[in-house]
Amino acid sequence: MTDVPAVTANEAGSLTVRDNRTGSEYEVPITDGTIKAADLGKIRVSEEEPGLAVYDPGFVNTASCRSAVTFIDGDKGILEYRGYPIEQLAEKSNFLEVAYLLIHGELPTKEQYDNWEHEITYHTFVHENVKTFMQGFRYDAHPMGMMMASVGALSTFYPDARNIGDPDNRHMQMVRMIAKMPTLGAWSFRHAQGKPYIYPDNDLGYTANFLSMLFKMSEKKFEADPRLVKALDVLFILHADHEQNCSTNAVRSVGSSQVDPYSAVAAGVGALYGPLHGGANEAVLRMLRRIGKKENIPAFIEGVKAGNEKLMGFGHRVYKNFDPRATIIKKACDDVFEVTGVNPLLEIAKELEKIALEDEYFVKRKLYPNVDFYSGLIYEAFQFPPEMFTVLFAIGRTPGWLAQWLELVQDKEQKIARPKQIYTGDRQLDFVPASERWK
Ligand code: ACO
């Protein structure tokens, strides 16, 4: 044993690394709290051997880009879009303005906002053939699967979208996607219900129009309660970006091949579909329904602690004290339930939260309710079936994905995503043809 640590941080902003295999020392510069993986690659036993690499499944401690879109301090529960705190945006802004902010990097002037709103509203309709192929899905198709396929299919309707080097072209595709996602989402919903698809009503605002496409029947005009419109708009704002999460990483990774943005966003929708990401609120509701009544909570918690299952809607890769979005959503619950009546599962959710927050297992692991713990209850109050929850998330997240994609395609340091592996398989086996192996 030696008293000298193998790796020491020095004041000049570098690491001195001594490779105990060779006795060689290396100076590795530290920039913005990171070292370059390529610098570690210079550490090698011999010229023939590959350099040192970092093993980091899930990228838990690897920065993949420089980004000026969203700031998160997980320990302090801070979330900011382009420097603006999420609490202020949720209270004082609206989703379209937040979308503008994320993509353009600053708040719009009145004229810029009016143009933006006009552009988005103008592009809400989709080609009739989109409607035809969506109608071709099975009657019970999951709306998220329909959305993933249809947003990807938009790339075939706008082949010019592959021209990602042209700023005007990029802008047009981003406008189209933000405008059309609610149309695709609403039609996926109507499809599962066996109801006719409703065309956009461009007299309505972004979120009110979405609700109209979802719920309009024979009435001439569908105008949702403004409190519900506001609550859903806030939910869209809360979901609009979250820096380098699983789906954003998927968008960036696929986008790094320089494919068109519809294909990159389709990859993001696919990533969001999974239960550990956007699918968690659907899982929360199923869990609450399975628990059924308050008396069953202790047994359920014991099962979680025994490792039988997870307490869905709890825990976060980044937030380790509280998720600021969960706090805002809890407030939005009250507004929505004022219109729709209280969801009976709310009582179970609150009791579950109370018990878990006092339990040593969850306290020790810093597990707190995340954005998904309460959002499902709100969505259910809107009468969305659980399959629709992730679709709502995807609509909200679209401007964030696009802001991140735009940053990627403009970033000269970015390369095609191509991680390393540690190969664990066999080598140099002799192949014996099937005709001989199966004798
Ligand atoms: N219930 C019970 N135990 C949990 C939970 C949970 N929800 N989350 C984490 N743990 C435990 C793990 O088992 C682990 O315990 P151990 O140290 O005894 O092995 C410890 O807490 C640390 O967990 P990790 O898996 O290392 O945490 P990680 O940061 O990788 O995972 C994640 C974060 C995926 C969100 C996880 O907390 C989880 O699966 N939560 C439930 C699903 C969920 O709500 N997802 C929504 C996330 S928010 C969003 O995507 C919008």
Side-chain angles (χ1 to χ4, degrees):
M1 282 288 282
T2 166
D3 289 334
V4 186
V7 179
T8 52
N10 71 21
E11 285 171 5
S14 67
L15 290 186
T16 304
V17 181
R18 194 180 66 234
D19 186 343
N20 291 328
R21 298 170 300 178
T22 59
S24 303
E25 287 206 350
Y26 300 82
E27 199 73 2
V28 182
I30 300 175
T31 316
D32 298 325
T34 63
I35 55 168
K36 287 208 168 104
D39 286 337
L40 288 184
K42 293 174 191 157
I43 302 175
R44 53 178 73 207
V45 174
S46 69
E47 281 308 312
E48 294 77 50
E49 301 273 324
L52 199 62
V54 177
Y55 178 56
D56 189 8
F59 307 125
V60 286
N61 195 29
T62 298
S64 64
C65 60
R66 294 174 180 280
S67 181
V69 181
T70 290
F71 174 81
I72 299 175
D73 182 331
D75 289 332
K76 297 197 182 114
I78 295 173
L79 168 61
E80 294 170 358
Y81 297 158
R82 301 287 188 182
Y84 294 97
I86 191 68
E87 292 82 358
Q88 292 183 24
L89 294 171
E91 192 189 333
K92 299 176 191 161
S93 185
N94 67 53
F95 179 64
L96 273 196
E97 187 179 37
V98 167
Y100 184 99
L101 172 69
L102 285 167
I103 286 173
H104 294 86
E106 48 193 34
L107 289 169
T109 61
K110 163 110 181 66
E111 196 190 347
Q112 286 166 334
Y113 180 79
D114 289 346
N115 280 342
W116 177 246
E117 189 182 35
H118 174 77
E119 273 185 305
I120 302 277
T121 308
Y122 186 82
H123 286 280
T124 49
F125 279 73
V126 293
H127 193 288
E128 276 296 290
N129 286 4
V130 172
K131 185 174 159 192
T132 319
F133 86 71
M134 286 184 80
Q135 281 168 333
F137 277 96
R138 260 180 62 142
Y139 70 97
D140 58 352
H142 195 295
M144 194 64 170
M146 287 181 69
M147 187 173 220
M148 177 167 54
S150 50
V151 73
L154 287 184
S155 74
T156 67
F157 289 83
Y158 306 109
D160 54 324
R162 70 172 71 110
N163 187 7
I164 62 166
D166 172 7
D168 292 340
N169 192 296
R170 288 196 300 248
H171 177 80
M172 178 48 67
Q173 312 315 329
M174 289 192 291
V175 165
R176 281 187 176 136
M177 226 175 310
I178 294 171
K180 294 180 199 308
M181 285 298 258
T183 312
L184 301 178
W187 287 4
S188 310
F189 172 75
R190 301 285 293 202
H191 184 83
Q193 308 233 319
K195 290 179 181 158
Y197 297 1
I198 303 292
Y199 287 107
D201 178 347
N202 287 347
D203 291 340
L204 298 172
Y206 187 86
T207 304
N209 170 47
F210 177 51
L211 286 168
S212 163
M213 289 188 287
L214 287 162
F215 297 119
K216 187 170 181 294
M217 288 307 292
S218 59
E219 61 273 54
K220 275 219 165 65
K221 202 165 185 70
F222 182 91
E223 284 181 272
D225 187 302
R227 289 169 292 180
L228 295 183
V229 176
K230 172 71 186 158
L232 190 55
D233 205 72
V234 166
L235 282 157
F236 284 157
I237 293 174
L238 297 186
H239 287 91
D241 196 50
H242 213 237
E243 52 119 304
Q244 306 313 311
N245 54 85
C246 177
S247 58
T248 301
N249 183 59
V251 170
R252 278 183 173 263
S253 185
V254 171
S256 75
S257 73
Q258 301 191 348
V259 73
D260 68 88
Y262 299 100
S263 303
V265 166
V269 177
L272 193 61
Y273 202 171
L276 293 189
H277 192 6
N281 49 14
E282 183 176 339
V284 169
L285 273 201
R286 295 195 203 288
M287 173 188 78
L288 292 176
R289 212 161 269 131
R290 196 156 40 86
I291 294 172
K293 48 187 180 191
K294 282 208 273 189
E295 299 82 79
N296 295 339
I297 293 176
F300 171 79
I301 295 271
E302 285 315 308
V304 170
K305 285 157 65 174
N308 298 343
E309 61 182 305
K310 279 190 169 166
L311 170 50
M312 298 311 284
F314 259 63
H316 198 276
R317 174 60 61 79
V318 182
Y319 298 118
K320 298 298 178 194
N321 281 314
F322 70 97
D323 180 341
R325 302 167 302 171
T327 318
I328 301 168
I329 282 203
K330 231 171 147 178
K331 276 199 214 122
C333 264
D334 297 334
D335 299 341
V336 169
F337 293 151
E338 197 183 290
V339 183
T340 63
V342 175
N343 187 330
L345 294 177
L346 180 68
E347 211 193 342
I348 299 176
K350 284 193 166 159
E351 184 67 13
L352 189 56
E353 178 185 0
K354 188 166 154 273
I355 293 176
L357 290 180
E358 286 164 0
D359 191 294
E360 166 75 8
Y361 175 95
F362 298 93
V363 175
K364 211 173 100 199
R365 290 170 177 76
K366 298 191 168 205
L367 300 171
Y368 296 85
N370 59 45
V371 66
D372 285 326
F373 194 67
Y374 284 102
S375 62
L377 289 171
I378 299 188
Y379 294 149
E380 195 170 71
F382 273 89
Q383 302 194 335
F384 288 121
E387 303 78 54
M388 267 302 283
F389 297 174
T390 334
V391 171
L392 302 168
F393 191 155
I395 294 171
R397 182 55 58 87
T398 299
W401 284 331
L402 292 171
Q404 301 272 351
W405 169 79
L406 184 62
E407 200 172 59
L408 165 93
V409 298
Q410 293 178 303
D411 182 349
K412 298 216 166 14
E413 283 188 356
Q414 285 297 320
K415 294 181 186 313
I416 185 164
R418 203 322 185 173
K420 270 186 174 288
Q421 63 167 7
I422 301 171
Y423 180 68
T424 60
D426 292 328
R427 292 285 322 280
Q428 300 189 331
L429 303 177
D430 277 327
F431 179 75
V432 181
S435 55
E436 287 181 37
R437 284 193 334 269
W438 298 343
K439 265 185 195 156

